[in-house]
Amino acid sequence: MRSDGRRPDELRPISVVRNYLKYAEGSVFIEAGNNRIVCAISIEDRVPQFLRNTGQGWITAEYAMLPRATTTRNIRDAVKGQIGGRTHEIQRLIGRALRSVVNLEKLGERTILVDCDVIQADGGTRTLATTGAFMALVDALWNLLDQGMLAERGIVRDYLAAVSVGIVNGEMLLDLNFEEDSVAQVDMNVVMTGSGKLVEVQGTAEKEPFSRETLNALLDLAQRGIQEILNLERKLLERGLP
């Protein structure tokens, strides 16, 4: 039994509030254990320079952690004058993940801006932010379809979710909290589609290298957890995919 009472293969309870923000085209407030994240979607009628006159849209993400999201205060990136390496990495992860399941041609020359703000962190924020961003994106695209700003469905090709797995004290665990993540021998973040295809695998041995067999076992564990999250998405997103 883990410190929070979960089994090794058990997710933290996930709660989602859709349409959390008044002005965003799509938004969710997502919780998992002690994690609290707000994901918001903004849509602009422009694209980066390299996509102009191509008829194709783009998706990009920004991620931030509020100063007191953790046990000690973090300095804001705006105060430091630059985005930290970890923040930049997570932003790219979220953007890549969403682009992998969206037909960018059907967006037209629009940019979808995803903002993920962590107001309380307890390990696994990048994976929870990815899951929350996907649900907010689905709602935003349905809103555009309802307003007649997009002509047809088939914009989102598949569901998407993410989770962390790792090895702590020699045991494989699903959905690591901060206490577990900080001492893990292996730490891995996995993003998958509803059809079971891998989008991203970020795995690191913190001490001893791990075997291919261990990698496969961790991916199997991640897939079982992601399937639970996908089932929740399908239940909450009752209109299906736009």
Side-chain angles (χ1 to χ4, degrees):
M1 195 69 72
R2 298 156 74 173
S3 59
D4 54 10
R6 287 183 291 149
R7 300 185 312 273
D9 62 349
E10 186 176 359
L11 291 169
R12 286 173 283 188
I14 298 174
S15 173
V16 178
V17 178
R18 294 165 59 202
N19 303 308
Y20 184 70
L21 300 176
K22 179 178 180 179
Y23 302 112
E25 283 84 344
S27 64
V28 303
F29 174 67
I30 187 166
E31 301 177 75
N34 290 318
N35 282 325
R36 311 281 189 273
I37 304 177
V38 178
C39 300
I41 303 294
S42 303
I43 300 178
E44 298 183 351
D45 290 326
R46 61 181 179 85
V47 290
Q49 178 69 39
F50 71 93
L51 286 176
R52 289 181 184 173
N53 302 316
T54 65
Q56 178 178 315
W58 189 244
I59 301 174
T60 187
E62 295 185 13
Y63 168 98
M65 191 174 290
L66 295 189
R68 282 318 306 262
T70 55
T71 55
T72 57
R73 186 181 187 277
N74 299 301
I75 301 174
R76 299 177 193 268
D77 287 337
V79 174
K80 291 186 290 186
Q82 62 180 2
I83 297 175
R86 177 182 179 274
T87 299
H88 189 64
E89 174 196 351
I90 294 173
Q91 292 180 166
R92 294 185 64 191
L93 164 68
I94 297 169
R96 281 195 304 267
L98 296 177
R99 292 194 297 269
S100 75
V101 293
V102 172
N103 187 330
L104 296 174
E105 286 76 17
K106 290 193 175 184
L107 287 178
E109 291 197 14
R110 295 183 177 88
T111 295
I112 295 177
L113 300 156
V114 184
D115 286 293
C116 297
D117 290 286
V118 180
I119 62 176
Q120 186 168 287
D122 187 28
T125 57
R126 73 183 67 192
T127 53
L128 189 63
T130 301
T131 298
F134 173 77
M135 287 189 276
L137 174 64
V138 167
D139 278 341
L141 291 174
W142 271 119
N143 286 334
L144 288 189
L145 283 165
D146 291 343
Q147 295 167 27
M149 297 175 65
L150 293 174
E152 58 179 332
R153 291 181 57 180
I155 306 165
V156 181
R157 294 185 289 252
D158 204 350
Y159 288 85
L160 182 84
V163 78
S164 65
V165 288
I167 299 177
V168 179
N169 297 324
E171 186 172 30
M172 293 189 187
L173 301 180
L174 175 67
D175 189 17
L176 277 62
N177 61 28
F178 177 75
E179 179 184 349
E180 294 163 340
D181 182 71
S182 62
V183 297
Q185 290 89 56
V186 177
D187 180 24
M188 186 177 296
N189 301 297
V190 181
V191 186
M192 297 183 74
T193 68
S195 58
K197 293 181 179 179
L198 290 165
V199 175
E200 187 116 5
V201 178
Q202 299 179 338
T204 304
E206 299 292 347
K207 294 181 180 179
E208 296 294 324
F210 57 96
S211 67
R212 175 69 69 84
E213 291 75 19
T214 298
L215 172 62
N216 291 339
L218 285 169
L219 288 175
D220 288 342
L221 179 60
Q223 185 168 19
R224 290 196 293 273
I226 286 173
Q227 189 58 58
E228 289 186 46
I229 300 171
L230 291 167
N231 290 340
L232 176 63
E233 289 181 353
R234 292 185 177 100
K235 179 181 178 182
L236 293 175
L237 302 172
E238 68 281 348
R239 296 180 70 181
L241 298 180

